[in-house]
Amino acid sequence: MTVIEESAPTAVRAAAPTDTDTAVEHAPGPLRPRRIGGVTRTGVLSLCGAAASGLCVTVLLFGQLAPFSGALGFAVTAYLAFLAIYAVLTGLDEDGQAVRDRVMTVVLWTAATLLFSGLFMVVGFTAWRGREALPHANFFTQDMQASGPLDPLTHGGIAHAMLGTLTMITIALAITVPLGLACAVYLNQIPGRFSRFVRTIVEAMTALPSIVAGLMVYATWILGLGMQKSGLAAGFAISVMMLPIVIRASDVVLRLVPGNLTEAAEALGAPRWRTVWHVVLPTARSGLATAVILGTARGIGETSPVLLTAGFTTALNANATSGPMVSLPLAVFNFVKSPEPAYIARGFGAAAVLMALVLVLFVIARVIGGRGPGHQTKRQARRTARASRQDVRRFEDLHAPGLSLFETPGEPHPAGDTPSAPATGETD
């Protein structure tokens, strides 16, 4: 310790070093935990400096040092140089783990930005090209039976395609949802050699070309059984495409249900079917709704199976079992291949309506699916509390004096039997 005179200022005495202070100063590692999230000035400066340096290095490479050319190559080289320089700048102040964390954060943000940019471009471009047809009311209420390629946008519409798409997807959902969920429950609850075989077939069917599904339904339903092309046949073909997607996604979701829930239900004496119906399926309801949406998005955009099994028509047909029927994807294909501007505008307008229809179906599925396990809405919380109060009253009635646990409240006692007082365990 350094001896300090009494007349030294208090600040000098407080600043006098000790053995403990010297040991802390030379201790390895940071003295405070590293900040995980948030924006710091050092991070922003490192990002800006790495971006500017990467751009300068790329300009130097493409302009002076190497015979590189092309916009895509310039962008990729600039991005790679930016990542390398950013890693170096971050490594000046942080350890290796922090450098990897910062670099991977930048990569993930870049991937998310590219994804949302592509989605925005697709949706925006489709809506912009269809802006001429969407404002007209006849576009949603009329068909194309009395309209031709040279007619203006005030004549004709896509009502026949909208009705056809809704009819086909309804038939497909009526077939796919019960079969898909039942198969997923079987694969999840009854493991064995046959379930592994079924899972392998399902995984192989996820890569089934859509034209093969259409040819199968065309060969069996139309050629083999002699039925005519209709919306029902198209619904069968679409369900073949949707079924493996729904089964695979539902199987993955059901695997995420905690095993202690099913074990607790079976320990209370519930049979397997009641455990699945009241525990497994409600717990995975939100994920199962997502699985159905994934299958619907796959089936609602199919064109070749519909063309093979439902044919093509420009008239409105509400009978799903008789006569040709057209869907929105098939109508879009027929519109955009025409050189007429009015037909092209109708095609992009029909594509915008198809995307809106998928969005509506997604919202409906999310509402039906509800929230994830452990999260209840206010109405669900009130219903749960009301059921709990009813259970409490029922147990109080069952444990009332003079009533056996095997009797129902309000039932008369058998003839000759009188309720006896509860035993107290004491003798006179």
Side-chain angles (χ1 to χ4, degrees):
M1 291 288 294
T2 303
V3 180
I4 303 176
E5 298 178 357
E6 291 295 332
S7 60
T10 306
V12 175
R13 291 198 303 268
T18 61
D19 297 338
T20 305
D21 297 337
T22 306
V24 170
E25 289 178 0
H26 293 84
L31 296 180
R32 59 176 180 270
R34 178 169 56 88
R35 184 176 180 180
I36 301 299
V39 179
T40 60
R41 184 178 62 179
T42 304
V44 173
L45 293 177
S46 299
L47 281 174
C48 296
S53 301
L55 182 61
C56 294
V57 169
T58 308
V59 171
L60 183 62
L61 287 175
F62 274 70
Q64 301 294 331
L65 301 180
F68 295 156
S69 62
L72 181 60
F74 185 90
V76 172
T77 304
Y79 183 71
L80 294 178
F82 158 72
L83 288 180
I85 297 173
Y86 180 66
V88 172
L89 293 178
T90 306
L92 297 177
D93 299 327
E94 303 287 349
D95 54 359
Q97 183 179 2
V99 172
R100 291 190 294 268
D101 177 71
R102 299 287 178 84
V103 172
M104 288 306 301
T105 301
V106 171
V107 171
L108 293 178
W109 272 101
T110 305
T113 303
L114 292 176
L115 175 64
F116 282 102
S117 299
L119 179 63
F120 178 77
M121 289 178 61
V122 170
V123 175
F125 178 77
T126 304
W128 176 259
R129 289 296 301 272
R131 71 189 186 282
E132 299 177 0
L134 291 175
H136 301 283
N138 60 282
F139 183 71
F140 304 97
T141 58
Q142 297 180 7
D143 56 24
M144 295 297 296
Q145 186 176 12
S147 302
L150 300 179
D151 290 331
L153 294 174
T154 55
H155 295 82
I158 59 170
H160 60 301
M162 294 172 58
L163 180 61
T165 295
L166 291 175
T167 302
M168 296 174 192
I169 202 64
T170 301
I171 296 173
L173 286 174
I175 298 173
T176 303
V177 172
L179 290 180
L181 297 184
C183 185
V185 170
Y186 170 78
L187 295 178
N188 185 263
Q189 297 294 324
I190 308 178
R193 184 175 302 176
F194 186 72
S195 63
R196 290 194 297 269
F197 173 75
V198 173
R199 182 177 286 109
T200 303
I201 297 299
V202 169
E203 292 177 353
M205 286 185 62
T206 55
L208 183 70
S210 58
I211 190 67
V212 176
L215 286 174
M216 185 190 69
V217 175
Y218 180 80
T220 56
W221 183 259
I222 298 176
L223 297 181
L225 300 178
M227 300 295 178
Q228 59 180 336
K229 293 183 177 182
S230 60
L232 181 61
F236 290 156
I238 293 175
S239 64
V240 173
M241 300 301 304
M242 294 172 53
L243 192 59
I245 304 297
V246 174
I247 294 175
R248 191 72 182 93
S250 301
D251 182 27
V252 173
V253 170
L254 292 177
R255 289 184 183 183
L256 300 178
V257 177
N260 53 4
L261 295 179
T262 58
E263 293 173 0
E266 293 177 356
L268 292 174
R272 178 64 64 87
W273 71 269
R274 189 177 291 275
T275 300
V276 172
W277 184 259
H278 291 283
V279 177
V280 177
L281 293 181
T283 303
R285 184 175 62 176
S286 178
L288 295 177
T290 303
V292 173
I293 279 297
L294 291 176
T296 304
R298 171 70 187 275
I300 202 172
E302 294 295 339
T303 303
S304 54
V306 177
L307 183 60
L308 286 173
T309 56
F312 185 83
T313 181
T314 58
L316 183 65
N317 181 18
N319 189 359
T321 60
S322 176
M325 185 176 288
V326 68
S327 63
L328 280 172
L330 191 56
V332 170
F333 173 75
N334 184 69
F335 283 139
V336 297
K337 72 178 183 179
S338 175
E340 297 298 328
Y343 256 42
I344 296 176
R346 289 189 181 96
F348 279 98
V353 172
L354 180 61
M355 291 189 299
L357 180 61
V358 173
L359 179 61
V360 170
L361 293 177
F362 176 78
V363 172
I364 293 174
R366 298 313 300 173
V367 171
I368 295 175
R371 302 185 181 183
H375 302 278
Q376 290 183 333
T377 61
K378 294 182 178 180
R379 185 173 63 178
Q380 291 173 343
R382 289 195 298 268
R383 185 164 58 245
T384 303
R386 184 167 58 252
S388 299
R389 290 193 295 268
Q390 293 176 357
D391 291 339
V392 170
R393 288 195 295 267
R394 181 166 57 87
F395 284 123
E396 290 177 351
D397 294 338
L398 288 175
H399 291 79
L403 185 63
S404 174
L405 292 177
F406 299 97
E407 296 177 347
T408 304
E411 290 185 356
H413 291 274
D417 295 340
T418 57
S420 58
T424 59
E426 299 177 358
T427 58
D428 294 333

